[in-house]
Amino acid sequence: MHDNLLAQAFVYLAAAVAAVPLARRLGMGAVLGYLLAGIAIGPFGLRLVADGAGDVLHVAEFGVVMMLFLIGLELRPAALWRMRGAVVGLGGGQIVATAALGCAAGVALGVPWRMALAVGVIIAMSSTAIVLQSLAETGRLRTDAGQRIFAILLSQDIAVIPILAVLPLLATSPPPAAAEMHGVGALPGWQQAIVVLGAVAAIVAGGRYLLRPVFRAIARTGLREIFTATALLLVVGIALLMQAVGLSPALGTFLAGVVLADSEYRHELEGDIEPFKGLLLGLFFISVGAGIDFRLVAAAPGSLGALVLGIMGLKALVLVLVARRAGSVMADALFIAAALCQVGEFAFVLLGMARGAGVLPDQQAGQLVAAVALSMLATPLLLLAHARLVEPRLAGAAPTREADAIPDEDTPVIVAGFGRVGSTLGRLLRASGVGTTVLDLDGDRIEVLRRLGLEAYYGDATRLELLQAAGAARARILVVAVDDFAVTERLVEVARRHFPHLRLIVRVPDRPEAYALLRDGVSEVHRETVGTACDMGYATLRALGHRAFQARRAVQAFRDHDEQGVRALADKWGDDRSYFSAARARIAESAQLLASLDFVDRHFDLAWDNTTLRDEALGRPSAATTPEPPSTDSVEE
């Protein structure tokens, strides 16, 4: 079975299909599900992939290459340039500090300094695959902490270039003879540098001047599969070029992605590469799980456990220090440490190279390989523990930055949260001449708003003293537009307890949160996606040829009925039988309502009927929005 490619593919796919949904249902995340699936089918589990995990791992590493290409596509050159400070300062500081402390710890334990330095450099690398996948799953890639993590990972990828050059110089045994080397490795150092620079220049120039005409020509053929093949050819070709010149394939494809980020074919490339990336990344995680040598773990569990804890603890300490030094709050610094304290997949390559070059003895290299795999396995568990144990405590703590001083000005409206929803609402109110006080807990966002000329104040709106300073005692309306529903609940509770006169207008993510607040007596609850969905529905009806007043009336009638349904169903939420029965009835009513509306509009141009418009303005039920259509006889009359 181990030699049968189809059988192996079946085993890997079956393991993923069985383990990942179960892991997600248990709240453990897909990455941990893949790793556990690998352990289950590996040589120390069901022995279904006893000898093939190493080869599969080699192939599956290409998923990391594809992932970096996709990330590059989302990061335009201007955005990458803005990250230069974090890449050099934060990432560079982490690598240097980890390597130095790792070397010092090794020397203190009696390890020769060359070997200790090699280990320090290798453990400075983190797992791009695990970390970025975990961030993507939790939606934290675009947060401030997520961007700093990405900058550190990018810095590590860049650092691979000098590490590959320096590692052989640390050999304690004679390096391979020059005659045994081939390709770029056999060239003198200055010629290698020219070749490397030439390869990078070729990727940049090719991406800017050659690839667009090529993709344009391929797109004209109308053959989607050829476009997909071209996208894969591009990624594979760049990976081969990078390998040939001794650079990280992931770094090369990332660079190509950045160059193509402004291309009109960016989204088409993302769509073509994404399925391959996801599949290969899953295969990579399964292979890592299957490759853990539990015999080695069982032979020396104490020393190996201490090694894993020592490495992760040292890296976590360094990451917290450099993150705090770079201005991160403690909560973000701890998250960065939890995410990056493992050793990454590139360590497998570096350890193999170090063993081959005589830098590390076989026994020590084998222990480090096991430690790397165990640290990767521990990372999803560590992130899970951080999310459930650490973050709730830090979320309740007072922010380290003091709240801004708010001028003593009476404004009728206070807006808490100036993100996607609050910013649009706030601009609308101010453009309408309505005095508005804006509060937000994102310091970076406050700075951006002030640079745009918008006045906003930093502070936690759930704190009573901040609401008092914002004039809540004299304001008329409090708009709650924060992203986090737990914060929304706390803010609503504080406002209702201390400022009962305030009219609350609250944003919620979806129906379950709306039900919770409605049952708690909050009447003005607005789901954040309903407006956009209705606007898109109106545009779709118009595109299908419906007249503007018909489309507008249909959308408005549907929205009114849907909002009434939310309020009608709130008390039934939690009782599956009665809730779903009532929900099905509401769905049938919606279809009936729109059908009758369409019937009426075809025979009576009620959009121009003053009576119906007056009814709508006064909030009375309109004849045009009753579910029952008029009889044919009445129409004919």
Side-chain angles (χ1 to χ4, degrees), residues 320-353:
V320 168
L321 293 176
V322 296
R324 292 286 287 165
R325 177 78 177 172
S328 294
V329 298
M330 181 54 78
D332 283 353
L334 291 175
F335 177 68
I336 292 170
L340 293 174
C341 66
Q342 81 293 128
V343 186
E345 55 276 355
F346 204 75
F348 295 128
V349 179
L350 293 176
L351 286 169
M353 182 180 177

Side-chain angles (χ1 to χ4, degrees), residues 521-605:
V522 180
S523 59
E524 298 222 33
V525 177
H526 298 267
R527 291 167 289 155
E528 59 189 23
T529 56
V530 171
T532 302
C534 288
D535 288 344
M536 294 174 70
Y538 172 79
T540 304
L541 290 175
R542 290 287 291 140
L544 290 172
H546 289 250
R547 298 178 67 181
F549 76 89
Q550 289 176 323
R552 182 63 66 194
R553 184 178 292 276
V555 168
Q556 189 60 47
F558 175 84
R559 183 168 184 171
D560 290 345
H561 187 263
D562 192 58
E563 291 294 341
Q564 292 166 12
V566 172
R567 282 151 180 78
L569 294 173
D571 290 334
K572 302 182 186 300
W573 181 248
D575 180 354
D576 285 356
R577 177 174 294 183
S578 63
Y579 175 79
F580 285 107
S581 174
R584 283 195 297 272
R586 297 292 306 184
I587 292 171
E589 284 177 12
S590 296
Q592 243 184 348
L593 170 63
L594 293 199
S596 66
L597 196 63
D598 180 60
F599 182 84
V600 171
D601 279 345
R602 288 186 185 191
H603 298 81
F604 303 101
D605 198 356

Side-chain angles (χ1 to χ4, degrees), residues 150-182:
F150 178 72
I152 294 173
L153 290 171
L154 183 58
S155 179
Q156 292 175 358
D157 272 343
I158 295 172
V160 166
I161 303 169
I163 290 174
L164 287 172
V166 168
L167 208 53
L169 302 179
L170 300 175
T172 54
S173 59
E180 296 176 0
M181 302 179 71
H182 55 82

Side-chain angles (χ1 to χ4, degrees), residues 245-315:
V245 300
L247 294 184
S248 161
L251 181 62
T253 52
F254 170 75
L255 188 59
V258 172
V259 174
L260 289 170
D262 290 325
S263 163
E264 62 270 34
Y265 302 104
R266 167 191 168 193
H267 296 296
E268 187 72 17
L269 288 168
E270 286 178 343
D272 287 339
I273 297 293
E274 180 70 35
F276 296 98
K277 183 266 294 184
L279 196 59
L280 286 174
L281 269 184
L283 195 58
F284 170 78
F285 295 134
I286 292 176
S287 304
V288 169
I292 296 176
D293 189 346
F294 285 98
R295 284 173 302 193
L296 198 58
V297 177
S303 60
L304 197 54
L307 181 61
V308 173
L309 290 176
I311 290 173
M312 297 184 76
L314 183 145
K315 289 193 70 175

Side-chain angles (χ1 to χ4, degrees), residues 198-513:
V200 172
I203 291 174
V204 174
R208 185 169 292 274
Y209 300 110
L210 179 62
L211 288 179
R212 286 189 180 186
V214 170
F215 282 124
R216 192 176 302 121
I218 297 296
R220 283 177 184 155
T221 65
L223 298 171
R224 184 175 175 81
E225 65 274 17
I226 297 300
F227 196 95
T228 303
T230 308
L232 289 173
L233 177 66
L234 170 67
V235 177
V236 173
I238 292 173
L240 286 174
L241 175 63
M242 290 292 99
Q243 281 185 334
V245 300
L247 294 184
S248 161
L251 181 62
T253 52
F254 170 75
L255 188 59
V258 172
V259 174
L260 289 170
D262 290 325
S263 163
E264 62 270 34
Y265 302 104
R266 167 191 168 193
H267 296 296
E268 187 72 17
L269 288 168
E270 286 178 343
D272 287 339
I273 297 293
E274 180 70 35
F276 296 98
K277 183 266 294 184
L279 196 59
L280 286 174
L281 269 184
L283 195 58
F284 170 78
F285 295 134
I286 292 176
S287 304
V288 169
I292 296 176
D293 189 346
F294 285 98
R295 284 173 302 193
L296 198 58
V297 177
S303 60
L304 197 54
L307 181 61
V308 173
L309 290 176
I311 290 173
M312 297 184 76
L314 183 145
K315 289 193 70 175
L317 175 64
V318 170
L319 285 161
V320 168
L321 293 176
V322 296
R324 292 286 287 165
R325 177 78 177 172
S328 294
V329 298
M330 181 54 78
D332 283 353
L334 291 175
F335 177 68
I336 292 170
L340 293 174
C341 66
Q342 81 293 128
V343 186
E345 55 276 355
F346 204 75
F348 295 128
V349 179
L350 293 176
L351 286 169
M353 182 180 177
R355 181 159 49 187
V359 179
L360 291 174
D362 289 347
Q363 183 181 359
Q364 279 76 10
Q367 286 180 334
L368 284 169
V369 168
V372 170
L374 288 174
S375 73
M376 293 170 76
L377 177 63
T379 300
L381 295 172
L382 193 59
L383 287 173
L384 196 63
H386 179 271
R388 295 189 176 180
L389 302 177
V390 179
E391 278 191 336
R393 296 174 183 275
L394 293 177
T400 55
R401 172 178 164 178
E402 290 295 326
D404 291 339
I406 302 176
D408 188 16
E409 298 175 353
D410 289 345
T411 56
V413 180
I414 300 172
V415 177
F418 215 59
R420 294 173 297 156
V421 175
S423 60
T424 303
L425 172 70
R427 286 188 290 113
L428 170 65
L429 293 176
R430 288 186 173 174
S432 303
V434 178
T436 307
T437 300
V438 174
L439 307 174
D440 200 289
L441 197 52
D442 187 330
D444 293 338
R445 184 181 297 155
I446 294 292
E447 293 303 320
V448 171
L449 290 172
R450 288 181 174 174
R451 290 173 65 183
L452 291 172
L454 300 173
E455 196 63 39
Y457 303 98
Y458 175 85
D460 182 357
T462 62
R463 294 171 58 199
L464 175 59
E465 58 271 29
L466 187 71
L467 285 177
Q468 289 172 331
R474 300 176 296 279
R476 293 166 52 195
I477 298 171
L478 171 63
V479 179
V480 183
V482 296
D483 293 328
D484 190 336
F485 184 64
V487 177
T488 297
E489 287 184 304
R490 288 203 303 273
L491 178 52
V492 167
E493 182 183 351
V494 171
R496 294 175 74 185
R497 182 186 306 164
H498 298 282
F499 308 102
H501 70 284
L502 277 178
R503 182 173 177 176
L504 300 179
I505 298 176
V506 186
R507 161 204 179 184
V508 293
D510 210 341
R511 280 178 176 257
E513 294 82 6

Side-chain angles (χ1 to χ4, degrees), residues 8 41 88 99 108 146 227 453 502:
Q8 288 286 287
I41 64 174
V88 176
F227 196 95
L502 277 178

